[in-house]
Amino acid sequence: MCCVESTWAAGECQLAFTPLGHALRVEITGSTETQQSRLACWMRLTEEAARCQASGVLAVDLRDGTLASPGQWQDVLEALEMDVLRTMPLAFVGRWPRYTELEALNQTLLERGFRTQVFDDEAAAERWLRYGEHGGAWPPGDHFSTKARSNT
């Protein structure tokens, strides 16, 4: 299945999904100050990545509110079925101070065997998804040419 543009909201958390080649770009806005809203957003993100069989996820975090602690993220991750996301690279984009929360999440995911990276620049995150140390997220034949990779 291919990814299509869509939006979703639960309480104060909103997700906007956009296809990015064979990957999925998700823009996270609103607030995820409660454990319930964090869990709901992650469940929906995971479901959409599985539904569209995304080759990777680019999550752009524009949320408001307080930052989650590493322990709070640990609880969310333990409540989710994360096998879908383990098969794909995950690039997170966040600006200060959200970047620090994403770094803590990134460390937890790395410890659990995920291929993940945090960026403060969306273009750099997209390049990592395409050409990163994981071997590139998009398969040959996509609009991101593998020929271009060999020329850089």
Side-chain angles (χ1 to χ4, degrees):
M1 299 185 112
C2 63
C3 300
V4 295
E5 287 190 30
S6 64
T7 58
W8 175 88
E12 297 295 316
C13 178
Q14 296 93 35
L15 304 177
F17 298 103
T18 308
L20 186 64
H22 288 284
L24 177 65
R25 180 186 183 276
V26 58
E27 192 169 282
I28 307 164
T29 56
S31 175
T32 56
E33 290 190 24
T34 68
Q35 247 352 45
Q36 295 84 359
S37 63
R38 272 190 287 281
L39 181 58
C41 280
W42 268 87
M43 287 178 73
R44 181 65 188 106
L45 187 152
T46 302
E47 289 166 0
E48 185 64 14
R51 186 197 66 74
C52 70
Q53 299 174 353
S55 62
V57 173
L58 174 63
V60 180
D61 190 329
L62 302 173
R63 292 176 293 155
D64 299 321
T66 59
L67 303 179
S69 71
Q72 290 170 318
W73 274 117
Q74 188 79 15
D75 292 345
V76 169
L77 296 175
E78 287 173 6
L80 289 174
E81 174 54 56
M82 299 296 285
D83 288 340
V84 159
L85 295 180
R86 260 193 184 70
T87 65
M88 62 186 73
L90 307 171
F92 297 99
V93 178
R95 306 236 173 359
W96 194 264
R98 188 62 65 189
Y99 187 86
T100 59
E101 177 183 357
L102 293 174
E103 282 185 320
L105 171 61
N106 186 63
Q107 185 62 39
T108 300
L109 288 170
L110 287 170
E111 290 168 358
R112 291 172 172 242
F114 287 81
R115 295 174 291 163
T116 180
Q117 187 66 33
V118 177
F119 300 87
D120 63 1
D121 176 71
E122 187 171 346
E126 190 175 331
R127 279 191 303 277
W128 180 82
L129 272 178
R130 265 193 263 171
Y131 310 121
E133 73 252 7
H134 52 78
W138 286 288
D142 194 342
H143 67 275
F144 295 114
S145 170
T146 55
K147 192 179 282 187
R149 184 183 318 175
S150 64
N151 293 335
T152 57

